[in-house]
């Protein structure tokens, strides 16, 4: 093979790799919007069953549109995860595995190194989460809460209440949303790098915004299982 065609081939591979990184950034940015919307909706749980179920009812009333959004989300999650794995493998091949994993002063931020691991934990979390919530029979046993006054079906609120009475699940959720916080704080910074924006002037702000986003997401989602546990156990309130 001539030197020119080798150069062309590596140039094309480089362009494909950049395109993949840009799609990872774009799908990640849309997923962040979903996560913020999802967090805001879920925090309504803290206001009680009526408010939360009214919100869940509004979403349900979207009918087929909700399913279009869900399918869109699946496509986004799968492409984001799949392309991230491809990019990570390509980077490892290009740099050499040892450099990336073992060189502590290699200039690779720890969050970058752990992006793949936090991402994989989030993939596992999503499977558990979809089984826990969207696939739960909210009108049946899963949504029925036992109170001092007897059993009562509280719909999707009841599903969340029952799920978070299990401390092991709470720990798993808190670990997963903390990983999500770290993943987002780094991913947020990457969006600006991958989109090619020169952020040297705003680098400090972008870092702070990324960390802020990660903290809000981790603390906000964790508040929900913690609220259920405190309200049920410490305050001794059935509901
Ligand atoms: C304490 C934390 C969380 C709670 C209480 C929660 C609650 C819920 C509930 C109630 C649903 C069902 C919505 C419905 O069927 O109308 C749902 C669906 C879903 N959640 Fe979460 N969620 C949490 C964290 C997360 C996180 C961190 C992610 C993403 C990384 C996520 C992604 C999804 C997805 C993709 C769906 C399916 C789409 C949908 O039906 O809206 N959730 N969640």
């Amino acid at each position: 093979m001539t030197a020119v065609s080798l150069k062309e081939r590596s140039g094309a591979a480089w362009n494909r790799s950049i395109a993949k990184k840009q799609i990872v950034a774009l799908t990640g940015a849309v997923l962040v919007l979903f996560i913020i919307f999802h967090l805001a909706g879920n925090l309504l749980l803290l206001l009680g069953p009526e408010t939360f179920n009214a919100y869940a009812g509004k979403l349900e009333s979207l009918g087929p549109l909700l399913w279009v959004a869900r399918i869109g989300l699946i496509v986004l999650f799968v492409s984001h995860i799949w392309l991230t794995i491809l990019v990570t493998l390509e980077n490892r091949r290009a740099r050499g595995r040892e450099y990336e994993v073992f060189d502590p002063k290699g200039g690779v931020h720890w969050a970058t190194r752990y992006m793949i691991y936090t991402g994989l934990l989030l993939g596992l979390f999503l499977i558990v989460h979809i089984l826990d919530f969207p696939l739960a029979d909210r009108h049946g046993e899963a949504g029925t809460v036992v109170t001092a006054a007897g059993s009562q079906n509280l719909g999707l609120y009841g599903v969340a209440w029952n799920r978070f009475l299990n401390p092991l699940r709470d720990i798993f959720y808190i670990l997963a949303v903390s990983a999500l916080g770290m993943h987002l704080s780094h991913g947020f910074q990457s969006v600006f790098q991958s989109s090619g924006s020169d952020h040297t002037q705003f680098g400090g702000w972008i870092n702070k915004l990324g960390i802020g986003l990660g903290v809000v997401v981790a603390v906000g989602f964790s508040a929900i299982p913690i609220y259920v546990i405190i309200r049920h156990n410490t305050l001794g309130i059935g509901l």
Side-chain angles (χ1 to χ4, degrees):
M1 193 171 296
T2 65
V4 173
S5 67
L6 256 179
K7 213 172 159 189
E8 275 169 3
R9 274 183 65 167
S10 63
W14 174 254
N15 285 342
R16 274 200 302 275
S17 171
I18 296 278
K20 273 185 216 131
K21 282 183 189 157
Q22 282 175 338
I23 299 174
V24 167
L26 191 69
T27 49
V30 181
L31 288 171
V32 166
L33 293 181
F34 161 75
I35 284 165
I36 291 171
F37 176 78
H38 195 52
L39 173 61
N42 282 328
L43 284 175
L44 295 176
L45 253 153
L46 308 185
L47 301 180
E50 289 80 20
T51 315
F52 183 69
N53 286 339
Y55 157 74
K58 282 222 175 79
L59 280 186
E60 231 177 339
S61 71
L62 293 175
L65 260 184
L66 182 63
W67 280 103
V68 172
R70 280 177 174 160
I71 291 166
L73 270 176
I74 293 172
V75 172
L76 281 172
F77 272 112
V78 170
S79 14
H80 186 80
I81 294 167
W82 179 239
L83 286 170
T84 307
I85 292 172
L86 286 186
V87 168
T88 308
L89 292 178
E90 277 170 14
N91 283 351
R92 281 204 177 158
R93 230 174 283 136
R95 282 198 204 120
R97 205 166 181 270
E98 284 173 17
Y99 165 81
E100 191 176 355
V101 177
F102 294 117
D103 182 0
K105 294 207 177 86
V108 182
H109 191 271
W110 63 270
T112 313
R113 241 179 263 152
Y114 292 113
M115 276 310 262
I116 190 78
Y117 302 117
T118 51
L120 287 174
L121 173 62
L122 291 173
L124 174 69
F125 164 78
L126 272 178
I127 296 172
V128 173
H129 185 56
I130 300 291
L131 292 171
D132 268 357
F133 287 98
L135 296 184
D137 176 15
R138 63 190 71 174
H139 305 294
E141 206 188 321
T144 304
V145 173
V146 183
T147 65
S151 297
Q152 205 186 347
N153 185 282
L154 289 177
L156 200 54
Y157 183 93
V159 174
W161 184 267
N162 288 331
R163 296 288 187 240
F164 292 136
L165 285 183
N166 179 343
L168 281 182
R169 184 181 270 106
D170 295 338
I171 292 170
F172 178 61
Y173 266 71
I174 291 170
L175 282 179
V177 297
S178 305
L180 177 64
M182 281 188 232
H183 192 88
L184 289 187
S185 81
H186 178 73
F188 184 83
Q189 294 154 23
S190 299
V191 168
F192 289 89
Q193 280 168 356
S194 304
S195 66
S197 335
D198 177 9
H199 63 86
T200 45
Q201 200 187 342
F202 304 105
W205 279 105
I206 288 169
N207 284 352
K208 281 185 193 134
L209 273 175
I211 291 168
L213 174 71
V215 170
V216 166
V217 165
V219 173
F221 277 119
S222 297
I224 298 164
I226 291 173
Y227 163 80
V228 172
I229 284 290
I230 290 181
R231 201 165 162 210
H232 183 74
N233 292 331
T234 318
L235 303 179
I237 299 173
L239 231 201

